[in-house]
Amino acid sequence: MSEAAPSAAGEQQDSAASLQKIQTLLSAKDDTSRFVGLALLKSVLDNTPELRSNEDGIASLWDSIPQKFLDRLIRTGSKQQAKGTNDMLDLAVSVLHTFTALLPERSKQDSKLVSRIPQLVACLLYCSDDTARLVLEALVSLVNQPEGAKVFDTVDDLSTLTEIAPVQSLVLDTLFYAWLGVMATTADKRALSSKIDQTVGALVVSFRGTDGVTLLKFLGNLLPRLDPELLPPNPTWLPSLAKFVRDLVVSRPTADGRAAFANLSAALLEVYPIQAPQLLFADNVDTKSPTRSESPFAFLLVNLLLIDIRSTIPTLLEQLNSPSYSVTAQRLTSAYNIVSNFMGYLLRALEALDSGESSNNQWIMKPDLLLKLRTSISETMSLTAEYLRDRWDASIAGAMGLHPEARTGAANESGVSHFTLAWDSKSVHSSQDPLILAAIRTLAIWLREDDGEQLRKEAAGLSDMFVDLYQTSSSPEKGLDFKRPVLVAFEGILEERKGKEAFLENGGWLTLVDDLCNILQASSTISDENEAARGVEIVRNLLRVAEAEQPGTREDWMDLVTKAAAWAVPDQKQPPMVEECQVAVLQLATALLVNAHPGLRRRYTHSTSAIIGIATQLRDKVKKDRGLVEALSDVLETLAALRQ
């Protein structure tokens, strides 16, 4: 030990002397000495671990490098690249890359560092592949900082980046972090939108002749995150992106390729709901294309996604806390969203065909393929219902079918309260998992639109989950909102007797009535058309239950009649949807009174009179809407007959 101490002290003295020599060389007047000092500095940093971890020492060394010398080194090196000499450029980039990695986060926003961004972008034209990689790694680190993103936004010519993007994937990371970083601070949204539009167009051109997987992955992550005002309204590159997706789908893609086209397709359907369905689902592919398939593209796309869901869902529960879950869940979420969008597109196409607005050559696919797809969707939705049942039981009770009374004691983990018998993802509770929302939305649409009796009976077993999710749903600003998908699901489930029974047994009536009464009361002062539209959907479901109840209306259901009778009609004119919701509530109250036992009905004579008065006031307010006037007239006639 006595010999080791002097040795360590000697090494420290040598290191200090080296650093002093380097700083002396860097402060010299001639560029040759500075170049030597910079080369020595790079060598010392690469070979002295203790110095690399010394933030103050690194900051001091960075301060000793003259800014103008770095700029001159990059410019001169770039000019000499054509002559085969790139030592200057390589060294300058290497040093910048090293300091970008070693400097503390606060220093990465200093002007001396971020102001090099435009030069780094420009010099890519003259860099070797290895040096280009270092440039891009430095850029990714710098644009992750707010100041770096702002400086990057001042660079007008990004062609040096877009041209090498197919072979340097870090280009896409640079653009991703830079645009998201500047999005929250820029005042000129139109200019940024135009730059994004032009750059994405240039990227699409650069990726021609490739499978485009990295490009699709990049845009699938970027587009849903952009503010709506930053999205180009009708970009010319949309058809080219759709072609990338089409070519990838028919080429038996790898797992990475499947995730890329699924995530991008879902993103396009979300941000371009008018253009994207036509591009992805209509059979308008060039018949001369080498990737042209005998089956319509929509069939290939949806069928491939359904196969992916069916092959993955059965083993997904055991992956909840594995590192791969987030990637798998994102891909399946996209798959569900595409399938649900396709269902909507198919329904619109059927309506257009029935109304004569669509010609035969615009039809999506032949009947035999539609039948195959229907069978495939039904099988997938059955597996989806099974997965939802297992996932919900795991998160709430810990075992399928375990009675709610077994939920003893509460626990709290990662800010999520749950029962001690339950287990779920440690990071994303099932009620906040986008995959669960996407799966329920897709299942709900299919339950409503398809006449599959067996699937509706299976889904009836999910009524407790649907009611629970409805009760705990947050507003879209705070979290996931399951209310509308649940209402759509109940439209299908309530077609079956078993569905009505499950709905009532799990508190569905009380849950929906409470929400409906809140919407009605709020409509007196706030004209929220989204809330009103949900109110109309609630009434549609409750009417189906109320009219089918035998031997008549349950006594506790009459609470809705009391609350409707106490409602105050607003003085001001309101939007049509809000008025439709108000009329729908009166129709529901009327149905409850009509189906009630005469003895029970007599106890609500005063409420009946109040509802007649309310209906009369509303009819005067909506006299220009023939449909609402007829509905209110029917309410008045029916209630008047009950009083006789």
Side-chain angles (χ1 to χ4, degrees), residues 347-391:
L347 290 170
R348 292 191 297 272
L350 283 169
E351 291 173 359
L353 196 65
D354 291 340
S355 63
E357 296 176 6
S358 174
S359 59
N360 290 333
N361 59 6
Q362 291 178 306
W363 180 234
I364 301 173
M365 62 186 72
K366 296 178 181 179
D368 61 322
L369 293 180
L370 271 178
L371 185 59
K372 290 181 180 178
L373 210 52
R374 179 179 183 267
T375 302
S376 183
I377 293 175
S378 295
E379 292 176 359
T380 306
M381 293 303 103
S382 181
L383 279 175
T384 299
E386 184 179 339
Y387 170 74
L388 291 171
R389 179 74 270 169
D390 292 344
R391 174 76 185 269

Side-chain angles (χ1 to χ4, degrees), residues 7 25 27 39 70 110 225 229 258 310 327 329 337 358 372 445 449 500 555 580 613 621 638 640 642:
S7 175
L25 289 169
S27 61
L70 269 180
D110 291 345
R225 289 175 167 82
E229 55 191 319
R258 290 197 301 272
R310 289 200 301 273
V327 175
N337 286 336
S358 174
K372 290 181 180 178
I445 295 173
E449 302 300 338
K500 294 184 180 70
E555 185 170 353
E580 183 180 346
K621 291 173 66 65
T638 302
L642 290 179

Side-chain angles (χ1 to χ4, degrees), residues 263-330:
N263 292 334
L264 176 67
S265 298
L268 292 178
L269 290 166
E270 176 186 346
V271 301
Y272 293 110
I274 305 300
Q275 304 98 315
Q278 187 69 19
L279 290 171
L280 293 174
F281 300 141
D283 192 28
N284 53 10
V285 185
D286 182 3
T287 55
K288 297 181 180 180
S289 171
T291 56
R292 171 71 175 173
S293 172
E294 291 298 324
S295 300
F297 176 74
F299 177 83
L300 296 175
L301 173 64
V302 176
N303 195 50
L304 189 59
L305 294 171
L306 293 172
I307 292 172
D308 188 23
I309 293 172
R310 289 200 301 273
S311 63
T312 309
I313 278 288
T315 61
L316 191 59
L317 201 61
E318 62 197 50
Q319 301 177 36
L320 278 180
N321 291 303
S322 69
S324 63
Y325 176 75
S326 60
V327 175
T328 304
Q330 182 185 12

Side-chain angles (χ1 to χ4, degrees), residues 217-234:
K217 189 184 300 184
F218 160 66
L219 292 174
N221 286 330
L222 174 71
L223 294 178
R225 289 175 167 82
L226 290 178
D227 290 341
E229 55 191 319
L230 291 180
L231 291 165
N234 192 23

